[in-house]
């Protein structure tokens, strides 16, 4: 089965993968609701097809704001046939640091709750339309925990389980639920990584592969596919050996450290020297 999409909602449209997805959808003639936090980036994307795009800047964890966005978009363009919950943040995490508890909370709000608040306003309308796909962008990091990355792994692991549950609820209906698990993409979220990133993939290639898989009716997509096989092989190792191998890897930079990516909605970390 193949499908083409005419009406798409995309969160995280300002990031590397999000911009690539937006450009690809717009190039294919779709009307696109561009959801993100950096207004100039969204406006530049919308300028590619102003008659088919609208720009929104809600916090994806704010259900009322997301419902307002959905109502406005459906009044403009009708019910979407593709909703991609792509908004996500990443960062190192240390349970011994009190400031990092806020990082965990915010990451769960954006990466996990944000997918539910993205999907919820559209489910009834998409069911009535009797076609479409709800797509959650998870991560290989959600398959197994990694040292120093507990907040991100927990949020993406939770998202994978949420999507599994939603898929079971929607099974037999007209709306598909798709889990996308990227490995390493060349984006701002990985730019500060201090460890090896096998299979590093360009966002444009990832966007094309992702949309092709969705159109073919796949419910699980790994980008690139070979990273999925590598992760599965590593998961066959005994837990103690797997943990020992990972323990020696450099940790992802924490908030406030060199190479860390900003996390929207968080105050600057406390400076212990203050």
């Amino acid at each position: 089965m193949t499908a083409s999409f005419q009406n798409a909602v995309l969160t995280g449209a300002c990031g590397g993968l999000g911009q690539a997805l937006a450009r690809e959808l717009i190039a294919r003639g779709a009307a696109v609701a561009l959801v993100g936090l950096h207004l100039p980036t969204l406006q530049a994307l919308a300028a590619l097809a102003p008659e088919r795009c609208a720009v929104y800047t809600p916090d994806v964890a704010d259900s009322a704001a997301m419902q307002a966005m959905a109502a406005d978009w459906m009044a403009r363009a009708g019910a979407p046939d593709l909703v991609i919950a792509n908004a996500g943040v990443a960062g190192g995490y240390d349970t011994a640091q009190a400031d990092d508890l806020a990082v965990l909370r915010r990451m769960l709000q954006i990466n996990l709750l944000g997918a539910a608040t993205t999907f919820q306003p559209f489910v009834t309308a998409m069911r009535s339309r009797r076609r479409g796909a709800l797509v959650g962008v998870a991560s290989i990091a959600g398959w197994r925990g990694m040292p120093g990355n507990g907040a991100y792994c927990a949020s993406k692991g939770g998202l994978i389980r949420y999507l599994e549950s939603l898929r079971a609820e929607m099974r037999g209906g007209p709306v598909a639920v798709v889990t996308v698990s990227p490995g390493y993409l060349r984006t701002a979220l990985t730019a500060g990584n201090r460890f090896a990133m096998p299979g590093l993939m360009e966002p444009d290639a990832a966007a094309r592969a992702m949309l092709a898989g969705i159109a073919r009716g796949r419910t699980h997509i790994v980008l690139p596919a070979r990273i999925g096989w590598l992760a599965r092989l590593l998961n066959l190792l005994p837990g103690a050996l797997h943990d020992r191998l990972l323990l020696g890897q450099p940790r992802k930079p924490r908030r406030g450290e060199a190479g860390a990516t900003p996390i929207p909605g968080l105050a600057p970390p406390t400076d212990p020297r203050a």
Side-chain angles (χ1 to χ4, degrees), residues 23-266:
R23 289 191 296 266
E24 191 69 25
L25 287 165
I26 292 168
R28 296 181 185 194
V32 186
L34 299 163
V35 184
L37 294 178
H38 191 251
L39 185 58
T41 298
L42 298 177
Q43 291 172 330
L45 290 168
L48 297 173
E51 73 286 357
R52 291 188 276 117
C53 295
V55 166
Y56 302 93
T57 57
D59 181 337
V60 294
D62 183 337
S63 60
M66 293 298 286
Q67 289 166 359
M69 174 277 294
D72 182 81
W73 176 249
M74 288 193 287
R76 292 169 181 252
D81 50 20
L82 178 65
V83 178
I84 303 178
N86 173 62
V89 291
Y93 178 77
D94 186 345
T95 299
Q97 303 299 321
D99 278 350
D100 281 12
L101 293 173
V103 172
L104 173 60
R105 183 180 301 109
R106 186 63 178 147
M107 211 170 288
L108 289 169
Q109 288 175 340
I110 296 173
N111 295 359
L112 177 52
L113 176 61
T117 58
T118 297
F119 295 155
Q120 183 275 321
F122 297 109
V123 170
T124 298
M126 292 175 73
R127 279 173 163 163
S128 296
R129 188 175 178 177
R130 300 199 59 77
R131 70 181 298 259
L134 301 169
V135 182
V137 179
S139 171
I140 290 290
W143 293 15
R144 185 158 184 165
M146 296 185 291
N149 212 16
Y152 185 71
C153 292
S155 67
K156 292 300 188 177
L159 177 56
I160 290 169
R161 296 296 173 259
Y162 165 69
L163 293 168
E164 287 176 352
S165 301
L166 182 60
R167 185 176 301 110
E169 293 169 14
M170 305 285 280
R171 197 173 300 282
V175 181
V177 177
V178 183
T179 302
V180 181
S181 293
Y184 295 110
L185 304 183
R186 196 185 301 277
T187 69
L189 292 185
T190 61
N193 287 354
R194 299 180 292 229
F195 44 80
M197 295 186 286
L200 185 65
M201 194 174 190
E202 297 296 332
D204 288 346
R208 290 191 294 270
M210 178 175 158
L211 292 174
I214 298 167
R216 288 197 297 269
R218 293 177 57 192
T219 56
H220 294 80
I221 299 169
V222 179
L223 303 170
R226 65 183 182 278
I227 291 301
W229 291 112
L230 176 60
R232 292 183 183 96
L233 287 173
L234 287 174
N235 282 343
L236 294 176
L237 296 175
L241 177 57
H242 188 279
D243 292 345
R244 192 176 302 119
L245 289 172
L246 290 180
L247 192 59
Q249 297 297 310
R251 297 163 72 93
K252 192 171 183 68
R254 292 174 54 242
R255 186 171 56 125
E257 295 179 345
T261 53
I263 299 177
L266 281 185

